[in-house]
Amino acid sequence: MTDTSPATGTTAGAGTADPEVLRDRAVASLVVARDRTTLLTSCVEEPDLTAQHSPLMSPLVWDLAHIGNQEEQWLLRAVAGHEAIRPEIDGLYDAFEHPRAERPKLPLLSPAEARSYAADVRGRALDVLERAAFHGTRLTEAGFAFGMIAQHEQQHDETMLITHQLRRGPQALTAPDPEPVPLFTGPTEVLVPGGPFTMGTSDEPWALDNERPAHRREVAPFRIDTTPVTNGAYQAFIEDGGYDDPRWWTPDGWTHIKRNSIAHPLYWRKDGRQWLRRRFGVTEVVPPDEPVLHVCWYEADAYARWAGRRLPTEAEWEKAARYDPAGDRSMRYPWGDTDPGPEHANLGQRHLRPAPAGSYPAGESPLGVRQLIGDVWEWTASDFLPYPGFKAFPYKEYSEVFFGSDHKVLRGGSFAVDAVACRGTFRNWDYPIRRQIFSGFRTARSEEI
């Protein structure tokens, strides 16, 4: 499998690519990530950078310095062997040492100090990248460390965008809406044939450890929604008393929604006969044709039961997204092996909302499933577990410590995810109670044989 750089149009295969192609791709990925970080931390005043807008999230200024600190530790120290610039702050920005709720109490760098530190690290990192050989160690092979850091920064950019959504106050971010499309009138579900397929990857250069290795997985035939579940469909669940009927909920889910008085997606409220939502400081009518957003796993699972369906397993989701029956192979993305373009998917904070259900026909899978990449993270039925042959790299805390039944897998990315951190094999995970994330879902059903 190969990787095509949108900047150069050339092919960058793992371990065999032209070093200059890899270098250009790494530079472009790092620059795009930093431009986004700058936008997210410059559109509000200092009090909003240092405040904690929710105990679920860090202050924005913590994320900014943490981005710089991770880049220093991996690119300057681990790759280049440089001495630490500010070793005394390592502990402050260790995500495992300090829970998010406690971070505002730490002696954090000020916004000006955090910006200066991150800029200093970036300048030195680009110097390292200019001389990098892209071979010799697993960390440097095919520019992995640089891709890992670009993905890490983009993941924190998504986290900061979540914080912006939680933030109270006037609108600080703007972006054009997705292009309007005709109401989708295609088939509501697609048949995915049974049989084996290749899940995961062993040769995607910048794939993270939990995506590896590639392995054969058997999946029974099933049907999956053509598009994610929409706000309009979810409203029908609410209006039918879905939140008041324990038949649709797991015992833990029922306890959770009753204990926390949850009766609709996060940020929604009823105004007379219509539903409104708050989105990045703006209150608007909930658009019925958009994929539903800000629902937890328990809500997604309950809706699926109410609809007489279920959530797809992670393997089912990936087969629907990657399997090409014509070639009997797994592709990088639903549309093929080329990197995402704006015609394929809603990614990269290009818009601040999902596109209407049925958008992006150019991103459709060979089986006819749409919007599997971008728009909303999609909850699956699966726990976050390692693949057969998994090996932690480059550190256990990225994936291994989260394996188990506490976390559910989400797939596909959202409008808040950059393409560098989103692939057909990319795996996200979170607690089943999480709703502040940009999460939605689609449903499935087993095919009767």
Side-chain angles (χ1 to χ4, degrees), residues 197-219:
F197 82 107
T198 299
M199 186 173 185
T201 181
S202 294
D203 54 9
E204 181 75 25
W206 291 357
L208 304 171
D209 60 1
N210 62 68
E211 301 171 66
R212 302 172 182 270
H215 58 286
R216 296 293 278 174
R217 189 71 67 94
E218 185 81 24
V219 173

Side-chain angles (χ1 to χ4, degrees), residues 36 151 154-155 158 161-162 211 228 291-294 314 317-318 321 332-335 340 344-351 353-355 360 370-380 409-429 437-442:
R36 186 178 175 195
Q151 291 178 80
Q154 286 286 3
Q155 288 167 335
E158 181 182 5
L161 189 62
I162 292 170
E211 301 171 66
V292 68
L293 192 62
H294 297 301
E314 182 182 13
W317 187 97
E318 188 167 324
R332 295 179 68 221
Y333 297 98
W335 54 85
H344 295 127
N346 181 7
L347 292 167
Q349 202 181 308
R350 191 169 68 248
H351 311 296
R353 64 195 309 154
Y360 305 107
R370 294 197 180 185
Q371 290 169 286
L372 285 156
I373 299 294
D375 285 307
V376 294
W377 284 108
E378 298 184 18
W379 288 110
T380 73
V409 174
L410 303 103
R411 300 297 296 263
S414 73
F415 66 88
V417 175
D418 187 79
V420 76
C422 186
R423 295 170 284 279
T425 58
F426 193 93
R427 308 172 75 196
N428 190 9
W429 64 93
I437 60 178
F438 299 111
S439 53
F441 63 101
R442 71 180 74 214

Side-chain angles (χ1 to χ4, degrees), residues 140-268:
T140 57
E141 187 70 35
F144 174 81
F146 300 96
M148 178 183 73
I149 288 301
Q151 291 178 80
H152 174 265
E153 182 161 355
Q154 286 286 3
Q155 288 167 335
H156 275 271
D157 288 340
E158 181 182 5
T159 298
M160 289 194 284
L161 189 62
I162 292 170
T163 302
H164 273 278
Q165 169 65 359
L166 286 162
R167 168 186 166 271
R168 294 286 182 174
Q171 182 180 21
L173 293 167
T174 60
D177 286 342
E179 288 294 321
V181 297
L183 184 67
F184 181 69
T185 57
T188 59
E189 63 178 4
V190 168
L191 174 65
V192 180
F197 82 107
T198 299
M199 186 173 185
T201 181
S202 294
D203 54 9
E204 181 75 25
W206 291 357
L208 304 171
D209 60 1
N210 62 68
E211 301 171 66
R212 302 172 182 270
H215 58 286
R216 296 293 278 174
R217 189 71 67 94
E218 185 81 24
V219 173
F222 69 99
R223 293 183 181 269
I224 192 167
D225 290 339
T226 307
T227 70
V229 171
T230 64
N231 290 320
Y234 199 84
Q235 285 176 34
F237 168 65
I238 299 173
E239 301 300 338
D240 194 47
Y243 281 90
D244 299 313
D245 192 334
R247 286 182 299 164
W248 314 129
W249 301 83
T250 65
D252 286 346
W254 183 248
T255 298
H256 175 70
I257 66 156
K258 290 305 172 184
R259 179 182 296 147
N260 294 280
S261 300
I262 295 172
H264 50 73
L266 187 62
Y267 306 118
W268 285 29

Side-chain angles (χ1 to χ4, degrees), residues 108 172 220:
L108 302 177

